[in-house]
Amino acid sequence: MTNQTKRIAKLTLGWLLVVVGVAALVLPGPGLLALAAGLLLLSQQYEWARRRVEPVRRAALKAAAESVQSAPRALITLCGALLVIAVGAVWGIHPPAPGWWPLPDRWWLFAGWGTGSTLIFSGIVAIGLMIYSWRRFRSDGPETALS
């Protein structure tokens, strides 16, 4: 693969991750993670992206440190991730619409496993990030939280 081909592939993947990340901020999915990965790839080519990577990295590390600040907070984070996985499984199984659902049945849990698998993936990513955060920020102490 030539340097030009690698460059185009990185730029394409970077922009794709940015678009998916922005969409996943309002849709199910790991939006901030995709956005950060896209910016990281684009920062290799663009100065404007380079300037935005550091604040995103610091915000992500701060949120990671805060998520495991105490055992109850970490437990709530874990329960939230497990809930997201459970909702994804129910979404994929696609039970019939309940009687209280006001819209046509086709709008009840639309997209089936497409959305369900994205939710499950997001929950798994959240658990992985929580384990990473616990190991990094709980064992080293708060003084290394943002380094």
Side-chain angles (χ1 to χ4, degrees):
M1 196 184 292
T2 67
N3 285 340
Q4 186 67 11
T5 306
K6 287 180 185 178
R7 181 179 176 274
I8 291 170
K10 284 181 182 179
L11 287 174
T12 302
L13 181 59
W15 281 111
L16 179 65
L17 285 168
V18 167
V19 169
V20 167
V22 169
L25 291 175
V26 294
L27 300 171
L32 288 177
L33 187 62
L35 187 58
L39 280 175
L40 189 61
L41 281 172
L42 293 176
S43 71
Q44 297 172 11
Q45 297 295 320
Y46 299 115
E47 180 59 35
W48 63 264
R50 216 172 281 124
R51 289 190 307 264
R52 283 160 180 79
V53 168
E54 186 58 25
V56 169
R57 184 184 82 77
R58 290 187 72 67
L61 287 174
K62 182 179 178 195
E66 290 173 354
S67 73
V68 294
Q69 196 171 35
S70 66
R73 186 176 275 187
L75 183 60
I76 290 169
T77 302
L78 178 62
C79 288
L82 292 173
L83 179 63
V84 168
I85 291 171
V87 168
V90 169
W91 203 295
I93 293 167
H94 201 283
W100 55 263
W101 182 249
L103 300 175
D105 286 355
R106 72 175 186 269
W107 292 105
W108 172 251
L109 302 178
F110 61 92
W113 280 112
T115 301
S117 62
T118 302
L119 288 167
I120 292 168
F121 176 73
S122 295
I124 291 169
V125 167
I127 290 171
L129 290 173
M130 196 192 96
I131 291 168
Y132 165 81
S133 299
W134 184 270
R135 286 182 164 178
R136 177 167 181 186
F137 300 115
R138 293 290 293 197
S139 61
D140 295 341
E143 64 276 0
T144 62
L146 298 178
S147 59

